[in-house]
């Protein structure tokens, strides 16, 4: 059996850098939402590791939940359909919702899921988006990002929840993967 980091080229963001930045984000979010009923909504599965650390850096009463969205294939992208595979278990009515993503790349997932619109239609008080990583060079469609951990260049990154073909989510850092192994981007 190989190791968890087999095939990773180099470390892009160390465990320490991530920890520091997540702490800063938590403070910023706590200051912005003071006195509000915050509901943190993670998009499965990539955001789970980030969300787990982020909520512990937000010193406010809050709850969290997850949604799952179908990842698009080539045909889905052109048909413009992204399905909600798992909905929230809790009500968003009257609550301030913070959507948490691992990475915003083309923007299609956030845009085509209509997640923010969906939350508003259900009577939430506000919706904001927090992403650990932003890859703006690959953006195809504009999506509003309210909190961003790091802006990254156009590398395929793995670790800290992000996967390549179901692997590497358990790395404590964010690494760049060997491009020869990853042609689909
Ligand atoms: P978008 O719909 O193109 O913005 O892509 C968002 C989703 O694609 C993310 O939630 C990830 O699951 C995946 N993704 C995009 N870029 C990367 C990457 O560099 N590493 C791992 N997953 C990625
Ligand atoms: Mg994802």
């Amino acid at each position: 059996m190989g190791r968890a980091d087999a095939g990773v080229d180099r470390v892009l963001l160390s465990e320490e850098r991530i920890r520091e930045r997540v702490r800063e984000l938590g403070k910023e979010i706590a200051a912005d939402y003071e006195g509000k009923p915050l509901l943190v909504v993670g998009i499965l599965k990539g955001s789970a590791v980030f969300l787990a650390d982020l909520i512990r850096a937000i010193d406010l009463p809050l709850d969290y939940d997850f949604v799952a969205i179908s990842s698009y294939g080539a045909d889905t992208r052109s048909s413009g359909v992204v399905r909600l595979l798992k909905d929230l278990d809790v009500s968003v009515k009257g609550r301030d919702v913070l959507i948490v993503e691992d990475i915003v790349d083309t923007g299609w997932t956030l845009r085509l899921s209509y997640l923010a619109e969906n939350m508003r239609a259900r009577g939430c008080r506000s919706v904001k988006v927090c992403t650990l990583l932003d890859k703006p060079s690959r953006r195809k469609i504009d999506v509003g990002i309210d909190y961003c951990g790091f802006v990254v260049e156009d590398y395929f990154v793995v670790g800290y929840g992000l996967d390549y073909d179901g692997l590497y989510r358990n790395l404590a850092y964010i690494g760049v993967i060997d491009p020869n192994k990853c042609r689909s981007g």
Side-chain angles (χ1 to χ4, degrees):
M1 290 300 274
R3 307 195 39 127
D5 63 354
V8 174
D9 269 356
R10 63 190 172 90
V11 176
L12 185 67
L13 299 164
S14 69
E15 191 176 352
E16 291 68 30
R17 265 191 88 188
I18 296 169
R19 191 184 305 127
E20 240 172 65
R21 185 66 188 123
V22 169
R23 220 171 265 159
E24 285 173 8
L25 281 173
K27 278 194 184 140
E28 196 184 333
I29 291 166
D32 290 354
Y33 284 94
E34 209 186 338
K36 293 181 179 174
L38 184 58
L39 178 66
V40 179
V41 174
I43 301 178
L44 290 173
K45 297 189 273 192
S47 73
V49 176
F50 173 42
L51 183 144
D53 284 342
L54 182 67
I55 54 164
R56 286 177 289 178
I58 303 173
D59 186 12
L60 289 178
L62 63 78
D63 194 6
Y64 69 88
D65 201 352
F66 290 99
V67 295
I69 295 170
S70 66
S71 58
Y72 47 74
D75 54 334
T76 323
R77 203 180 292 214
S78 49
S79 66
V81 178
V82 171
R83 282 187 310 138
L84 194 62
L85 300 179
K86 186 219 164 287
D87 203 351
L88 295 175
D89 298 321
V90 300
S91 168
V92 301
K93 203 167 170 60
R95 302 171 93 166
D96 291 278
V97 174
L98 182 65
I99 296 170
V100 174
E101 246 298 32
D102 50 359
I103 183 166
V104 180
D105 186 30
T106 62
W108 285 120
T109 301
L110 271 184
R111 188 83 295 282
L112 295 180
S113 66
Y114 294 98
L115 204 53
E117 290 82 352
N118 189 313
M119 300 291 145
R120 282 191 203 101
R122 296 189 211 176
C124 74
R125 225 166 71 143
S126 72
V127 198
K128 282 190 185 180
V129 173
C130 175
T131 186
L132 175 66
L133 306 176
D134 181 10
K135 227 194 253 180
S137 59
R138 297 243 314 161
R139 196 76 87 255
K140 293 279 189 292
I141 187 137
D142 195 35
V143 292
I145 295 173
D146 301 283
Y147 304 96
C148 170
F150 302 93
V151 173
V152 295
E153 291 186 42
D154 187 13
Y155 304 116
F156 198 84
V157 292
V158 294
Y160 199 68
L162 290 121
D163 77 307
Y164 172 63
D165 203 18
L167 290 172
Y168 305 115
R169 293 193 199 276
N170 56 327
L171 301 183
Y173 59 90
I174 289 172
V176 176
I177 204 172
D178 180 359
N180 299 320
K181 284 190 173 177
C182 163
R183 301 208 174 279
S184 58

